[in-house]
Amino acid sequence: MENVLTDPVLGHHLRLALSALENKKAFQIVVLDVAQQTSIADAFVICSVGSVRQAQAVCDEVTRILKEHSVRPLAVEGYSHGGWILMDYGDFLLHIFDEERRAFYALERLWSDAPEVSALLRTG
């Protein structure tokens, strides 16, 4: 069974998303391999931003970069409010949080049994 680190297509898409997040100065970027914990996605990408405008800019950049590679989100929710934007790419979900909502929802704590693979994606 492939996972986030062994599926070359998913790994490529995640690396593109990470690049987009870094381009727009998102911070505290975490990638969790949730393939063994849930069937809704193989990975969660979680990041923080400093403002609604930055959240929207990050969302726009992820959309632009992945679209250049013919990858489009299945759904995007929360864009107009910007405190928590959820981008559903099927194999992975990208969560763009302001710091207050990220602390409140604490997804990393809820999914604490999922391996954190951000560093491995950056080096692999």
Side-chain angles (χ1 to χ4, degrees):
M1 172 185 233
E2 290 193 301
N3 63 28
V4 170
L5 298 175
T6 61
D7 180 333
V9 173
L10 177 56
H12 179 65
H13 294 165
L14 288 168
R15 286 180 186 91
L16 291 170
L18 289 172
S19 175
L21 296 174
E22 291 166 353
N23 287 348
K24 291 300 176 181
K25 309 295 187 225
F27 53 94
Q28 295 178 340
I29 301 168
V30 173
V31 181
L32 300 176
D33 182 343
V34 296
Q36 301 302 310
Q37 286 76 25
T38 182
S39 62
I40 61 172
D42 292 331
F44 287 175
V45 180
I46 305 166
C47 70
S48 294
V49 294
S51 68
V52 170
R53 289 180 65 116
Q54 184 186 13
Q56 293 167 337
V58 166
C59 180
D60 293 343
E61 182 75 353
V62 170
T63 301
R64 183 187 69 76
I65 285 179
L66 286 170
K67 187 176 178 183
E68 287 175 359
H69 293 84
S70 301
V71 180
R72 290 176 171 72
L74 302 174
V76 176
E77 296 183 21
Y79 185 89
S80 61
H81 299 290
W84 178 3
I85 299 175
L86 174 62
M87 303 179 77
D88 181 350
Y89 279 95
D91 289 342
F92 70 96
L93 298 176
L94 183 114
H95 302 268
I96 305 167
F97 280 110
D98 66 26
E99 292 180 272
E100 182 180 336
R101 283 179 183 81
R102 184 167 181 174
F104 180 79
Y105 289 104
L107 292 184
E108 293 99 327
R109 192 173 53 225
L110 288 173
W111 296 94
S112 63
D113 53 343
E116 202 271 307
V117 296
S118 311
L120 296 171
L121 282 167
R122 287 185 178 101
T123 60

